[in-house]
Every structure is written in C-alpha cells, then in structure tokens.
Amino acid sequence: KARVPVSLSLTLDISDSMRGQRMVDARAALATFLDSLLAVEDEASLLGFNHETRMFGEWTTERAGLRTKLEAIRPSGGTALYDAIDAALPQFGSRQHPRAAILLVSDGADTAGDRTPTELKQKLVRSDVFLYAIGIDSIDARNSTRINPFTLNELTSQGGGYTEIIRSTADLGPATQRIAEEPNHQYMIGYTPTTRADGKYHSVRVRVTNPAYTVRARRGVIR
C-alpha cells in the first residue's frame, strides 16, 4: 500500500541545560531528520521550549527555512516540558495530512510548567496525534532535573508512540532514525457494519501469527 504523508512537529528542549555539545548534536540529528528521514511530501514544523514554548517554524515542506531557524536557536531558561506538548497539539488543526506526530527531544525533567501529566494524557487520548520522545538521561545531572523516563513513557504510550532513553547525545542520530521508520509501518483499521449501523462502539483486535512481529496500537474513534 502507498505510504500516507505525515505532518510532524519537531519539539526541541532549548533550556539552559541543552547548552554546548547537546545542542550541537540535537541540531545535527533534527537537521538529518528534515533532510533525509522525511519524505518529500511530508510537512514539518519547529517548536522550541524552555520555560515557555515558541513557534520557530510553521507547517512547511521547505526544509531549508526550518534548518536555518534551528541553527539560530540559543538555549536558555528552565524546562516546561508538559506545557510544550500541550502547546504543540493545537497546531495540528491546520495540518495538511491525515497522519500526525510530535517528536519531542529533551534532557531534563519538567521544572517550570503549569500542565500536569494527567491533564496531558486526557488530551492525548482525545487526539489523533502520535507522540514520540527522546529523553537524554544524563548521569551528571541532579535527580530533580534529570529526565523522568516513567512519566515520559506514560505520555508517549497514551499518544500511540514510544520513548527512547539515551545516555549520550551521540545516540540521538540512531534514535531519531528508529522513530522515523515508524510512519512507514502504521496502519489505520476501521469497522464497517455489514448491516445498518447500530450506533454502538466496536473494537478491532489485531493479532500476528509470526512471533518476529509485534503490534503496538492506540485506541481511537473513527467517524
């Protein structure tokens, strides 16, 4: 079957802890994502977040402009990670493609936000946007500022995606490449009644017989 284009929001932590090599490696990984891992017809946007979320680039298929804005980012401030996810979701109302995803990259815990994980999970379950995250878990950071992999996993699972936890920004490239493969292996399955619609909700169960394959699914309602 033909691959369906995707609208992808790159949502990058630009707080003070991302200074230096971390930002250099993050820029390189996201630039590679834009240049090599997205299909020509895919559109992307660029958000940065520290204690507030800022839109650096609206939806576009032109990569050069986003790369230029990515290079101009200078880290500062705290980390409002949950607020950033909350701010990213409304932009999908103006997307061009039916499939949608957020790729979030961060190296720290939420230290400056107003939103809670519970609030976000409620929003994600009502959304058709897939959430993926790459968490940089640095052993030299204080426990209060280290990435929280458990909460991040909860959020991405609710958002139909998954979390990659890496120890070094040198692993950002392989992590983004694995996530980039996800849109090439996603399918939407719906239920069509054989007789008159009964007005009830129906579930579709997917099983695979080959033990080499696994299925990860998110619940949703198709109208």
Side-chain angles (χ1 to χ4, degrees):
K1 295 182 179 180
R3 179 186 181 278
V4 178
V6 64
S7 297
L8 176 74
S9 172
L10 300 176
T11 305
L12 176 64
D13 185 344
I14 59 171
S15 64
D16 195 62
S17 61
M18 288 289 289
R19 285 181 180 274
Q21 193 61 42
R22 289 187 184 180
M23 184 54 66
V24 171
D25 292 341
R27 285 196 193 101
L30 295 187
T32 298
F33 206 114
L34 289 169
D35 291 340
S36 307
L37 302 180
L38 288 178
V40 175
E41 66 272 18
D42 293 337
E43 64 177 354
S45 68
L46 177 62
L47 277 75
F49 67 93
N50 44 26
H51 49 277
E52 61 184 7
T53 304
R54 178 181 172 187
M55 172 68 76
F56 286 95
E58 303 279 354
W59 293 121
T60 183
T61 56
E62 298 296 327
R63 317 287 193 233
L66 289 183
R67 289 197 308 274
T68 299
K69 292 171 182 176
L70 182 62
E71 287 298 322
I73 292 174
R74 297 294 178 264
S76 66
T79 306
L81 187 150
Y82 305 141
D83 287 5
I85 299 172
D86 186 59
L89 288 172
Q91 69 173 317
F92 288 93
S94 61
R95 73 183 194 253
Q96 292 184 11
H97 303 310
R99 289 199 303 160
I102 297 170
L103 171 57
L104 180 141
V105 178
S106 179
D107 74 335
D110 189 301
T111 60
D114 297 319
R115 298 293 177 268
T116 66
T118 299
E119 290 173 324
L120 279 181
K121 283 191 282 188
Q122 292 172 350
K123 289 190 175 185
L124 286 166
V125 78
R126 296 193 297 267
S127 169
D128 61 352
V129 178
F130 284 75
L131 175 62
Y132 300 94
I134 300 176
I136 306 164
D137 187 16
S138 175
I139 59 174
D140 59 356
R142 298 190 305 273
N143 286 336
S144 60
T145 59
R146 287 177 67 176
I147 199 80
N148 186 332
F150 304 104
T151 302
L152 212 51
N153 268 305
E154 284 186 351
L155 290 173
T156 54
S157 295
Q158 190 72 71
Y162 70 92
T163 295
E164 291 251 6
I165 299 296
I166 60 177
R167 303 300 177 187
S168 166
T169 52
D171 298 322
L172 270 170
T176 54
Q177 188 159 4
R178 287 189 292 271
I179 289 175
E181 281 297 310
E182 282 280 305
N184 299 327
H185 300 89
Q186 291 176 350
Y187 301 89
M188 182 176 288
I189 301 174
Y191 169 82
T192 301
T194 55
T195 57
R196 187 176 61 182
D198 56 15
K200 298 179 180 179
Y201 290 107
H202 296 266
S203 297
V204 177
R205 179 173 294 176
V206 178
R207 293 192 179 98
V208 291
T209 56
N210 188 329
Y213 296 122
T214 58
V215 174
R216 186 175 67 254
R218 68 173 295 178
R219 299 184 66 177
V221 178
I222 300 174
R223 293 181 175 87

